Amino acid sequence: MHQTPPASALGRIPRVNVEIRGLNMAYGEAWHRQQVITDLDLDVPAGQMTVVIGPSGCGKSTLVNIIAGFEKPDSGIVRVDGQPVTGPGHDRMVVFQETALMPWLTVRQNVSFGPQLRGEMDRATLRAEADRLIDKVGLREFKDKYPLQLSGGMQRRAELARAMINQPKLMIMDEPFRGLDAMSRELMQEFFLKLFEENRRTNLFVTSEIDEAIFLADRLVVLSTRPATVRSVIEIDLPRPRTYAMLASEKAFDYKREALDILHQEAMKSFKMGSGQSDFLEAYAKRAQ
Amino acid sequence: MAVASPSRSTFGGFRSSLGGALTNPTFWRGIVALIGFALFWELCSRSKQMFGVQVPWIGMVPPPSDVLGAWAKVVTEPGYWQSWYLSLNRVLAGFIAAQIVGIPFGLALAVNRYFRDIFFPPFEILRPIPPLAWVPASLIFWPTNEMSIAFVTFLGAFFTVVINVLGGARTINVQYLRAAQSMGASQWDLFWKIILPGTMPSIFTGAAVGMGITWEVVVAAEMISGGGTRKGGGLGFFIWNSYMGGSLEQIVVGMISIGIAGYLCSSAIRYLGFAAMPWRRLF
Ligand SMILES: Nc1ncnc2c1ncn2[C@@H]1O[C@H](COP(=O)(O)OP(=O)(O)OP(=O)(O)O)[C@@H](O)[C@H]1O
Ligand SMILES: [Mg+2]
């Protein structure tokens, strides 16, 4: 399994700390203005898998976009190893909720995209490195295929390879396995976990699936309903390497209940505050325009 | 995990090789349908003389056998081919000019806010004017008939091309741009590596629709501007002339010629589209 990797891959992945302090974000103008994130503080410790779980529509993707530097928060700061984030950079790679492979590039061209753009590897090294990563995600036979020729799970793996080749210090995954069938989803979780346990790159993983969250996490961060803020942080003290069997343990069950309790409270709260209804009114107002 | 295997590469009945066409059932169904249609038409046209009752409307159209006869006669006349040549020339000139001006213009509207703020409003006011409404003005404005026809043809395709390119470029998945940006793409890279290939499908859609409009406009413009001189001509004028001369068969010959010319032109565009976008050949 271990061929000698090219020089560029030998560099160890630096472990970075990510700190998020006092984040606030709202969308829309005037009376359509809607707070999406309020006073959110979050740490993503070096070499750990931090999983963020929250109800659908609470602002998880917004948080991801801010950390990645695609969007500027109204206030607050994101620091990667003490350095404030000012825009996108290849120290932070995002695997998006929907596939973002360029449909007009083959798998190999997609994977080579970043280094080629920055011109940091010569052709032969880049080719070798791309092929190594494509092999690693099990797409050797599909190198020269276009994304539309791949199944959903294969697309996700190609995306992992495209992100990894950039040697990011922080990997951000935004519900990457949503929309896969149950079988592919489990296979992808296991595969992804193995990758993480191999190199322990600092990771922020967003999901709305509790079992996925506990299976992967070192730390589980539970968000409130919109506007998102951190409700609770649960340290997941299950041994690594993880297996699915551990999800059946009593400990895992307790974690699950603790997280679900909070998520349930959040759901009830938004229900009582009538936000379900105000959502409806908002949607109606938008349509009426 | 299911492997999405690329299905046999038919796309709208298109095959990349002639050999492929000959083994493709779609191709043969098309041929049979055309022959069947011609037979039906023949029977209807001859209904009076064969059954004593004339089928309404289509019974008055000359039968395909007569049309073929008329066709066999005109293909020996240089005037007929001259008409093809003139119309094709005008179509290509107008079409290519519309692409050369329209694609960059559409892309500029899409990527530059100031450009859009300045040029989009006048564009939107001019766009609803049908190309043929420009004919009188351009006959006055341009020194020759030929130039007015070319201009009107250009306009016909131009607006469609721009709208398609603009729409395509504006609806590129923002995640592609973000992914590229986080991998270090400059504005320049974003344009050439994401926006341009991402807009390609819309560019070809615009070209296909624009080609259709160009033919419509050329034929109508040829009829209107009369083409009194020998240089006028064109397939539109060919039809008009046949009408004046009272030859029903020749009118149909002219119409079918335009149909064939239009089909050849759109096939060429489809072919170019497949050559330029290999990733679209897969399904
Ligand atoms: N660009 C935007 N403009 C306006 N509103 C936005 C924008 N992006 C997100 N929102 C709103 O912000 C809220 C949070 O969206 P976000 O996508 O961050 O939620 P999420 O938790 O990722 O949801 P999901 O579970 O659907 O992925 C939603 O109400 C959404 O409508
Ligand atoms: Mg989301």
Side-chain angles (χ1 to χ4, degrees), chain A residues 27 34 36 55-62 97 175 178 226:
Chain A
Y27 283 120
Q34 181 189 59
V36 178
S56 180
C58 75
K60 302 183 294 296
S61 296
T62 307
Q97 200 167 320
E175 300 195 57
R178 174 145 118 174
R226 196 183 67 221

Side-chain angles (χ1 to χ4, degrees), chain A residues 65 70-71 88-90 92-93 96 99-104 113-114 117-118 142 146 148-151 153 157 162 166 184 187, chain B residues 1-6 172-173 175-186 189 193-195 197-199 278-279 282-283:
Chain A
N65 286 336
F70 301 137
E71 296 192 35
H90 66 276
R92 288 150 286 139
M93 280 289 135
F96 295 97
T99 178
L101 293 168
M102 324 308 183
W104 52 88
F113 192 87
L117 208 59
R118 300 190 296 275
F142 295 86
Y146 290 98
L148 288 169
Q149 289 171 294
L150 308 185
S151 69
R157 282 183 279 149
R162 181 175 74 171
N166 297 288
S184 316
L187 287 170
Chain B
M1 233 168 284
V3 176
S5 72
I172 286 178
N173 189 344
Q175 309 296 41
Y176 301 156
L177 295 164
R178 285 178 164 171
Q181 246 180 335
S182 66
M183 289 186 271
S186 61
D189 292 326
K193 300 194 166 152
I194 308 291
I195 293 178
T199 311
W279 71 94
L282 313 171
F283 46 116

Side-chain angles (χ1 to χ4, degrees), chain A residues 106-115 126 130 133-134 158 161-162 165:
Chain A
T106 62
V107 168
R108 188 198 259 134
Q109 290 167 334
N110 262 294
V111 172
S112 315
F113 192 87
L126 174 55
L133 284 166
I134 291 169
R162 181 175 74 171
I165 201 170

Side-chain angles (χ1 to χ4, degrees), chain B residues 15-276:
Chain B
R15 276 284 168 135
S16 51
S17 71
L18 190 62
L22 293 178
T23 56
N24 184 355
T26 305
F27 174 80
W28 287 109
R29 276 196 284 272
I31 296 288
V32 169
L34 285 177
I35 292 172
F37 176 75
L39 276 177
F40 173 74
W41 173 12
E42 183 82 34
L43 279 177
C44 290
S45 299
R46 297 204 181 282
S47 53
K48 183 98 183 259
Q49 101 202 53
M50 287 168 72
F51 318 111
V53 193
Q54 191 179 45
V55 177
W57 196 75
I58 193 169
M60 303 191 312
V61 179
S65 49
D66 289 1
V67 171
L68 279 177
W71 210 331
K73 219 169 81 214
V74 290
V75 291
T76 60
E77 293 166 13
Y80 172 70
W81 294 111
Q82 173 84 354
S83 300
W84 265 82
Y85 174 76
L86 287 172
S87 290
L88 209 56
N89 245 349
R90 287 171 186 144
V91 163
L92 288 184
F95 175 82
I96 291 171
Q99 303 299 322
I100 291 176
V101 183
I103 294 173
F105 185 73
L107 286 170
L109 284 179
V111 299
N112 190 302
R113 201 198 147 135
Y114 301 107
F115 194 86
R116 186 163 62 245
D117 286 351
I118 294 167
F119 289 104
F120 195 60
F123 175 84
E124 274 300 272
I125 290 177
L126 294 179
R127 185 164 70 97
I129 304 172
L132 293 180
W134 289 85
V135 171
S138 54
L139 283 174
I140 294 168
F141 186 77
W142 295 97
T144 66
N145 256 7
E146 199 52 50
M147 283 166 108
S148 344
I149 296 180
F151 178 68
V152 173
T153 316
F154 161 80
L155 283 179
F158 174 73
F159 290 105
T160 307
V161 168
V162 172
I163 281 297
N164 270 284
V165 171
L166 174 62
R170 298 283 292 168
T171 51
I172 286 178
N173 189 344
V174 67
Q175 309 296 41
Y176 301 156
L177 295 164
R178 285 178 164 171
Q181 246 180 335
S182 66
M183 289 186 271
S186 61
Q187 293 295 315
W188 178 260
D189 292 326
L190 289 182
F191 180 80
W192 289 104
K193 300 194 166 152
I194 308 291
I195 293 178
L196 197 57
T199 311
M200 203 79 93
S202 310
I203 291 179
F204 279 96
T205 308
V209 179
M211 183 55 94
I213 299 179
T214 323
W215 271 104
E216 277 170 38
V217 173
V218 160
V219 168
E222 283 169 352
M223 287 184 177
I224 295 172
S225 70
T229 58
R230 255 186 59 79
K231 284 213 74 185
L235 286 169
F237 183 69
F238 178 88
I239 294 179
W240 194 248
N241 212 20
S242 310
Y243 172 70
M244 295 310 222
S247 167
L248 222 51
E249 288 81 9
Q250 268 202 31
I251 293 180
V252 179
V253 167
M255 288 167 69
I256 295 180
S257 302
I258 292 168
I260 292 173
Y263 174 76
L264 291 177
C265 289
S266 7
S267 300
I269 290 175
R270 225 169 7 236
Y271 188 83
L272 284 177
F274 278 99

Side-chain angles (χ1 to χ4, degrees), chain A residues 2-289:
Chain A
H2 280 280
Q3 312 115 313
T4 16
S8 62
L10 290 172
R12 278 189 52 248
I13 295 153
R15 302 270 162 81
V16 294
N17 270 302
V18 180
E19 307 165 282
I20 297 158
R21 292 292 175 266
L23 221 52
N24 278 283
M25 183 71 173
Y27 283 120
E29 299 298 327
W31 55 80
H32 287 295
R33 198 159 178 82
Q34 181 189 59
Q35 196 70 25
V36 178
I37 293 176
T38 26
D39 298 328
L40 187 141
D41 297 323
L42 176 66
D43 282 304
V44 183
Q48 287 198 20
M49 174 78 74
T50 301
V51 174
V52 171
I53 191 168
S56 180
C58 75
K60 302 183 294 296
S61 296
T62 307
L63 175 63
V64 165
N65 286 336
I66 292 170
I67 300 172
F70 301 137
E71 296 192 35
K72 292 229 175 321
D74 296 335
S75 68
I77 193 159
V78 177
R79 284 196 213 90
V80 176
D81 252 4
Q83 290 296 102
V85 162
T86 54
H90 66 276
D91 55 335
R92 288 150 286 139
M93 280 289 135
V94 183
V95 173
F96 295 97
Q97 200 167 320
E98 288 93 27
T99 178
L101 293 168
M102 324 308 183
W104 52 88
L105 301 178
T106 62
V107 168
R108 188 198 259 134
Q109 290 167 334
N110 262 294
V111 172
S112 315
F113 192 87
Q116 196 169 40
L117 208 59
R118 300 190 296 275
E120 50 184 31
M121 295 182 198
D122 62 77
R123 276 174 82 96
T125 319
L126 174 55
R127 206 180 162 89
E129 179 67 359
D131 285 359
R132 186 183 69 86
L133 284 166
I134 291 169
D135 278 0
K136 196 174 179 80
V137 298
L139 293 177
R140 185 200 295 258
E141 316 277 297
F142 295 86
K143 276 190 189 73
D144 297 315
K145 300 273 184 229
Y146 290 98
L148 288 169
Q149 289 171 294
L150 308 185
S151 69
M154 289 160 128
Q155 290 178 357
R156 286 8 286 271
R157 282 183 279 149
E159 259 169 294
L160 277 174
R162 181 175 74 171
M164 287 190 300
I165 201 170
N166 297 288
Q167 306 260 32
K169 297 173 190 158
L170 172 69
M171 190 82 128
I172 310 171
M173 316 278 292
D174 187 3
E175 300 195 57
F177 309 140
R178 174 145 118 174
L180 298 182
D181 59 280
M183 181 72 176
S184 316
R185 189 170 184 140
E186 275 187 20
L187 287 170
M188 283 301 295
Q189 287 165 355
E190 279 182 321
F191 175 74
F192 175 67
L193 191 70
K194 210 178 92 219
L195 278 181
F196 169 75
E197 285 171 350
E198 249 172 46
N199 58 31
R200 291 210 147 246
R201 190 196 314 265
T202 310
N203 223 303
L204 181 72
F205 191 105
V206 172
T207 184
S208 50
E209 263 270 306
I210 186 68
D211 286 324
E212 178 170 276
I214 292 171
F215 181 53
L216 298 173
D218 292 309
R219 300 171 76 238
L220 178 58
V221 178
V222 186
L223 295 186
S224 65
T225 47
R226 196 183 67 221
T229 191
V230 174
R231 271 298 316 270
S232 174
V233 177
I234 307 171
E235 301 286 336
I236 305 290
D237 185 21
L238 294 172
R240 288 194 189 271
R242 295 266 166 92
T243 59
Y244 272 112
M246 291 175 198
L247 281 181
S249 70
E250 197 160 327
K251 228 174 181 178
F253 187 75
D254 288 344
Y255 293 139
K256 186 169 169 176
R257 205 177 46 200
E258 189 180 347
L260 280 179
D261 273 351
I262 301 168
L263 288 169
H264 184 71
Q265 281 167 24
E266 284 303 314
M268 288 313 286
K269 202 166 70 191
S270 75
F271 198 71
K272 281 202 193 101
M273 288 187 333
S275 92
Q277 200 176 351
S278 77
D279 270 350
F280 173 76
L281 288 175
E282 256 167 46
Y284 186 78
K286 269 183 201 149
R287 272 191 51 192
Q289 273 174 7

